[in-house]
Amino acid sequence: RDVRGQRRVREAVVSTQSTGTSRSSFRHGRALNSAHRRAFNSRCFRTAETLLLNEMAHTSRNSTLPGGVPKLSRSAVYKKRALYKRKKVATVPAVKEVALTKTKTVAGEKNGGTRTVPVQKSPRFYPTEDCKTPLKNRRVAKPTKLRGSIVPGSVVILLAGSHRGKRVVVLKQLPSGLLLVTGPYKINGVPLRRVDQTYVIATSTKVELPAIPAIGDEIFKRKGKPTKNEKEMFVDNAGDNSYKISAEKVALQKEIDALVVPAVKKVDMLQSYLRSRFTLTKGQFPHEMKF
């Protein structure tokens, strides 16, 4: 068909040249007869169809709606492309054969010369029950970020623990991420304690603290209870194992109080403010208060 169309176009060009018709009129089809016009139109239609098919071959079947949302879902595209008709050929990876045994030379005339032994020696003992092995963890502990409203010297309100409701002074943040706070003990009876910043309410009151001595988490570590032997198994030693504050911690508390109490007394009414407890009455809401 393409050969016939080309022949008709050549004949139309020759006829127009013999009659003196210009090429511009030939292109627009004004001076062609019916046979020439049909050949010309069929040729143009094939060219336009070829261009359209080439353009559609490189365009996606799924259009994008405003906001970057695809018009068709994955299941709709799967159905539109008829992927369910294709044969799924699964490539099986080649399994390398691993030798489980090996041949070992044995000395001695009466031992046979060689002996077959396993490559990996099996253990002699097995656990009586299946033990769960922990999974590998590659996460690295990141340092806890301190809230912007809490700085060394800030007065915070404790929300949990035996001293909840009391106002204390923040000394610093320990390497574990917890806050090191104190009452001071001489004013409201709160000793050196570690508190999570989640369980405190930060206030706008601040105290200018002097240089605080280096204090770490190891001070708060308690010694483990001693194990009993067979002779002491039936002896009640509960009174001896009760927790007692070490002399080192008492001396450190006195040293901290000697630094913090003078700084608290410099601020008017701050000493009585630290002694009072934080309470709520009917109709008061903490999220509407300014501390």
Side-chain angles (χ1 to χ4, degrees):
R1 293 179 181 177
D2 293 340
V3 175
R4 293 179 182 177
Q6 293 176 5
R7 189 180 301 168
R8 290 176 182 175
V9 171
R10 291 197 197 106
E11 292 174 358
V13 172
V14 172
S15 63
T16 51
Q17 290 178 355
S18 60
T19 55
T21 310
S22 62
R23 288 195 176 186
S24 60
S25 61
F26 167 74
R27 289 174 184 174
H28 295 286
R30 293 175 181 175
L32 295 176
N33 55 19
S34 60
H36 296 168
R37 189 177 290 108
R38 284 196 302 270
F40 181 77
N41 291 341
S42 63
R43 184 65 177 176
C44 293
F45 177 76
R46 291 195 190 95
T47 306
E49 186 180 5
T50 305
L51 294 175
L52 183 61
L53 290 175
N54 292 337
E55 185 179 356
M56 290 178 62
H58 299 284
T59 57
S60 175
R61 295 173 179 266
N62 197 0
S63 59
T64 305
L65 299 176
V69 181
K71 183 179 179 181
L72 302 176
S73 62
R74 286 190 296 177
S75 58
V77 174
Y78 181 85
K79 182 179 179 181
K80 198 175 184 67
R81 295 179 62 189
L83 295 176
Y84 55 88
K85 294 183 179 179
R86 300 184 183 181
K87 294 182 179 180
K88 297 181 180 179
V89 180
T91 57
V92 181
V95 180
K96 295 182 180 179
E97 295 183 359
V98 180
L100 301 177
T101 58
K102 62 180 180 179
T103 304
K104 185 178 179 182
T105 58
V106 181
E109 297 179 357
K110 300 181 180 181
N111 292 330
T114 58
R115 188 174 299 172
T116 304
V117 296
V119 175
Q120 187 175 3
K121 191 176 181 180
S122 59
R124 295 181 61 189
F125 302 101
Y126 295 91
T128 56
E129 296 180 358
D130 294 336
C131 300
K132 293 183 178 180
T133 57
L135 300 176
K136 292 183 179 180
N137 186 7
R138 297 182 181 180
R139 291 179 294 179
V140 180
K142 298 180 181 179
T144 307
K145 187 178 180 181
L146 189 62
R147 279 154 55 183
S149 57
I150 300 176
V151 294
S154 298
V155 177
V156 298
I157 303 171
L158 300 179
L159 300 178
S162 57
H163 299 282
R164 59 180 175 273
K166 291 186 179 181
R167 297 175 172 91
V168 294
V169 180
V170 178
L171 300 180
K172 67 172 186 177
Q173 186 183 23
L174 297 172
S176 61
L178 301 176
L179 301 177
L180 178 64
V181 300
T182 184
Y185 183 78
K186 193 174 182 180
I187 294 178
N188 55 14
V190 180
L192 286 169
R193 292 180 68 87
R194 294 183 298 176
V195 183
D196 194 339
Q197 59 180 341
T198 309
Y199 300 101
V200 299
I201 296 177
T203 65
S204 57
T205 307
K206 293 180 177 57
V207 182
E208 293 185 4
L209 296 176
I212 303 296
I215 302 175
D217 293 292
E218 61 276 359
I219 298 176
F220 300 93
K221 189 176 181 180
R222 296 187 181 183
K223 295 181 180 179
K225 294 182 180 180
T227 57
K228 296 181 180 180
N229 52 23
E230 294 182 358
K231 295 181 180 180
E232 299 177 354
M233 186 176 296
F234 300 100
V235 179
D236 187 12
N237 295 330
D240 301 334
N241 296 333
S242 59
Y243 174 70
K244 295 180 181 179
I245 302 174
S246 61
E248 180 185 2
K249 202 169 182 180
V250 173
L252 181 62
Q253 182 66 58
K254 291 181 179 179
E255 183 182 357
I256 295 297
D257 284 357
L259 297 173
V260 179
V261 171
V264 171
K265 290 182 177 180
K266 291 180 182 179
V267 184
D268 296 337
M269 303 295 292
L270 184 58
Q271 193 171 356
S272 59
Y273 176 71
L274 293 176
R275 283 176 180 162
S276 62
R277 277 181 176 269
F278 172 73
T279 56
L280 291 174
T281 57
K282 186 177 180 180
Q284 292 181 344
F285 304 101
H287 62 276
E288 294 179 355
M289 297 180 180
K290 184 179 180 182
F291 296 93

